[in-house]
């Protein structure tokens, strides 16, 4: 029987269990030390009501705040230990399971069918994607997700560099997301990314007559232990796939799609033509 993780639903209630657990630890530590919310707020430059919101998990704390509270309350690292886990909460819920896998991957093999992959997005393009999300996302959440998406792109410049192969449908590249200025900036950025020696960007041209992509977008990641894992998402749900047989099918499918794509050089020329450049 094929095994894969259960889909992740982004409609999970907030605050998350992790955030509430951190708040409970903070409250327990504060009360154990005999410190009032007003005292703790004074030492950390927050109002007592904000301290209460932290303790109930209603307001997220960044790494700097967690470290400061831990030091003030003499937590000896108890609260600081949660920082790496809370970092993952910056991402949309459906991406959180895959975020640490992507960040440590030695290679990624991507096929995108309807929107540009997050690792290749400019800030303006990414912001427009979040702004256009439906149902709408709160302004603060947009900024959090935007920062997280841009931070992910450190993978492009990591040392040692990972092997990154992106196969993109030309169809969605023709859509001027955010208007002409944002679109043109995005296409120029694609050309710049494609010049990195460890990055390959290939387009499936409009004139391709094969019925590719019937299974949708996908990513295959190779871990530092050379284990292959699959990742797919759609309609706000996602799966990290570990079943070797299923991942093998994804690898074969990606290789077949890539074989139908334009070469990286021809793909760059096609992007230049979209821009009206020769």
């Amino acid at each position: 029987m094929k095994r894969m993780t259960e889909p992740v639903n982004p409609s999970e209630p907030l605050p998350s269990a992790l955030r509430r657990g951190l708040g409970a630890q903070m409250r327990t530590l504060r009360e154990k030390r005999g410190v009032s919310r007003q005292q703790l707020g004074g030492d950390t430059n927050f109002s007592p009501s904000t301290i209460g919101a932290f303790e109930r998990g209603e307001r997220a704390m960044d790494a700097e705040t967690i470290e400061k509270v831990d030091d003030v309350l003499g937590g000896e690292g108890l609260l600081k230990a949660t920082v790496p886990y809370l970092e993952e909460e910056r991402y949309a819920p459906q991406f959180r399971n895959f975020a640490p896998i992507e960040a440590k991957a030695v290679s990624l093999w991507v096929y995108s069918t309807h929107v540009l992959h997050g690792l290749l997005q400019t800030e303006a393009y990414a912001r427009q994607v979040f702004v256009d999300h439906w149902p709408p996302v709160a302004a603060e959440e947009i900024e959090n997700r935007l920062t997280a998406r841009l931070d992910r792109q450190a993978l492009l410049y990591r040392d040692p560099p990972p092997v990154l192969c992106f196969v993109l449908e030309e169809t969605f590249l023709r859509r001027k997301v955010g208007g002409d200025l944002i679109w043109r900036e995005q296409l120029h950025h694609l050309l710049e990314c494609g010049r990195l020696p460890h990055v390959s960007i290939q387009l499936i041209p409009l004139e391709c007559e094969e019925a590719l992509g019937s299974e949708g977008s996908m990513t295959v990641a190779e871990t530092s232990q050379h284990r292959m894992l699959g990742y797919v998402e759609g309609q706000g749900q996602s799966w990290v796939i570990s079943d070797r047989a299923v991942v093998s099918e994804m690898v074969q499918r990606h290789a077949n799609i890539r074989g139908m794509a334009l070469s990286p050089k021809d793909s760059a020329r096609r992007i230049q033509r979209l821009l009206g450049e020769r």
Side-chain angles (χ1 to χ4, degrees):
M1 181 178 179
K2 294 180 179 179
R3 299 184 306 276
M4 57 182 71
T5 62
E6 290 299 315
V8 178
N9 191 335
S11 64
E12 66 177 35
L14 293 177
S16 68
L18 179 58
R19 194 187 298 176
R20 285 184 283 119
L22 172 62
Q25 285 183 311
M26 175 178 164
R27 182 181 64 252
T28 300
L29 190 59
R30 176 180 61 77
E31 292 174 349
K32 185 176 181 180
R33 297 287 187 263
V35 177
S36 68
R37 287 179 178 172
Q38 185 171 3
Q39 288 175 304
L40 180 57
D43 290 336
T44 56
N45 296 319
F46 290 107
S47 68
S49 62
T50 299
I51 296 298
F54 287 153
E55 292 182 347
R56 292 187 299 273
E58 295 171 355
R59 181 168 175 177
M61 291 188 285
D62 59 23
E64 182 178 355
T65 299
I66 294 171
E67 291 171 0
K68 183 183 294 185
V69 171
D70 190 286
D71 289 339
V72 169
L73 295 178
E76 299 180 348
L78 177 66
L79 304 181
K80 294 178 183 179
T82 64
V83 169
Y85 305 98
L86 285 168
E87 284 292 300
E88 296 176 16
E89 290 209 338
R90 301 184 304 158
Y91 301 108
Q94 72 269 19
F95 185 70
R96 290 173 191 166
N97 286 349
F98 188 67
I101 297 171
E102 180 189 80
K104 298 177 182 178
V106 299
S107 70
L108 283 179
W109 306 84
V110 176
Y111 173 50
S112 296
T113 61
H114 63 285
V115 69
L116 195 59
H117 193 273
L119 290 176
L120 299 175
Q121 294 178 6
T122 63
E123 180 175 352
Y125 184 101
R127 184 186 297 278
Q128 192 66 45
V129 169
F130 291 132
V131 168
D132 291 341
H133 183 276
W134 196 263
V137 179
E140 182 179 359
E141 184 63 18
I142 288 175
E143 294 305 315
N144 290 339
R145 293 187 185 183
L146 179 62
T147 299
R149 177 157 297 181
L150 297 177
D151 287 348
R152 280 173 57 196
Q153 296 175 5
L155 182 65
L156 292 168
Y157 310 101
R158 195 186 68 194
D159 186 22
V163 173
L164 303 175
C165 176
F166 300 91
V167 181
L168 315 174
E169 290 284 348
E170 182 183 347
T171 50
F172 72 77
L173 283 186
R174 289 176 174 266
R175 179 178 296 172
K176 296 187 177 182
V177 173
D180 190 70
L181 184 62
I182 290 176
W183 175 76
R184 294 182 69 83
E185 179 190 41
Q186 178 61 75
L187 292 191
H188 280 297
H189 182 66
L190 269 184
L191 293 172
E192 292 175 6
C193 290
R195 295 187 187 103
L196 296 171
H198 57 285
V199 176
S200 169
I201 296 176
Q202 296 177 252
L203 301 189
I204 301 293
L206 283 175
E207 59 268 24
C208 179
E209 296 181 350
E210 284 75 10
L212 302 177
S214 60
E215 299 289 337
S217 298
M218 63 176 172
T219 298
V220 176
E222 180 185 8
T223 71
S224 58
Q225 293 78 37
H226 304 294
R227 176 79 187 277
M228 306 300 283
L229 298 171
Y231 176 72
V232 293
E233 65 176 47
Q235 294 300 318
Q237 297 191 14
S238 68
W239 293 261
V240 175
I241 304 170
S242 58
D243 186 283
R244 294 179 187 273
V246 180
V247 176
S248 176
E249 291 177 358
M250 295 176 69
V251 170
Q252 295 175 50
R253 194 175 300 124
H254 189 279
N256 179 62
I257 294 171
R258 188 182 181 196
M260 300 293 181
L262 299 175
S263 70
K265 286 186 178 180
D266 287 341
S267 296
R269 295 189 187 101
R270 180 64 63 97
I271 294 172
Q272 289 168 341
R273 285 203 295 272
L274 289 176
L275 286 164
E277 302 172 0
R278 299 293 179 182

